[in-house]
Amino acid sequence: QVQLVESGGGLVQAGDSLRLSCAASGRTFSGYIMGWFRQAPAKEREFVASITWTGGISYYIDSVKGRFTISRDNVKNTVYLQMNSLKPEDTAVYYCATRSMYNPNWGYWGQGTQVTVSS
């Protein structure tokens, strides 16, 4: 079965950086897309970034462009989210997810890792 385990969250100050990791296992991820989502307190879940497993093509929402970078290590089966210039509004639980390139539904999710940015 597919498992996604996030790590790397923490408490930081505005302007600091964090790198989140998502350890993926359970299948070959060729033909899949890996994504990062976040959910702030009392807010709905929000898509943040994604990357295709094979080609490494990435996509970001406007609010994180230039600050966040998604990447993957195909050997280690790990997806990363490098977060720079963090802002208080980035505070949220960050989730790793995956879906097939041929299915629009994000079918697998990790447990999440907390990121708190103080001002």
Side-chain angles (χ1 to χ4, degrees):
Q1 60 183 20
V2 174
Q3 285 190 300
L4 304 173
V5 181
E6 303 96 334
S7 62
L11 173 62
V12 298
Q13 294 184 321
D16 286 351
S17 298
L18 280 174
R19 189 180 74 162
L20 306 183
S21 298
C22 172
S25 63
R27 65 160 294 116
T28 299
F29 289 93
S30 299
Y32 277 72
I33 299 173
M34 314 301 294
W36 285 98
F37 293 74
R38 65 187 181 186
Q39 186 166 15
K43 300 294 178 62
E44 295 185 355
R45 186 182 300 164
E46 174 188 35
F47 171 83
V48 177
S50 65
I51 187 168
T52 60
W53 188 256
T54 301
I57 306 301
S58 59
Y59 179 82
Y60 305 87
I61 57 173
D62 287 343
S63 62
V64 307
K65 286 182 179 178
R67 299 190 299 122
F68 291 10
T69 302
I70 188 171
S71 62
R72 85 276 188 252
D73 186 325
N74 299 77
V75 176
K76 294 183 177 181
N77 268 25
T78 301
V79 183
Y80 304 97
L81 185 67
Q82 178 67 46
M83 305 185 295
N84 298 328
S85 301
L86 283 163
K87 305 174 181 179
E89 50 262 48
D90 294 318
T91 295
V93 177
Y94 283 72
Y95 298 91
C96 180
T98 186
R99 70 172 177 88
S100 169
M101 293 177 63
Y102 313 106
N103 190 325
N105 300 314
W106 295 88
Y108 300 95
W109 298 82
Q111 187 174 349
T113 185
Q114 176 71 49
V115 172
T116 302
V117 185
S118 66
S119 59

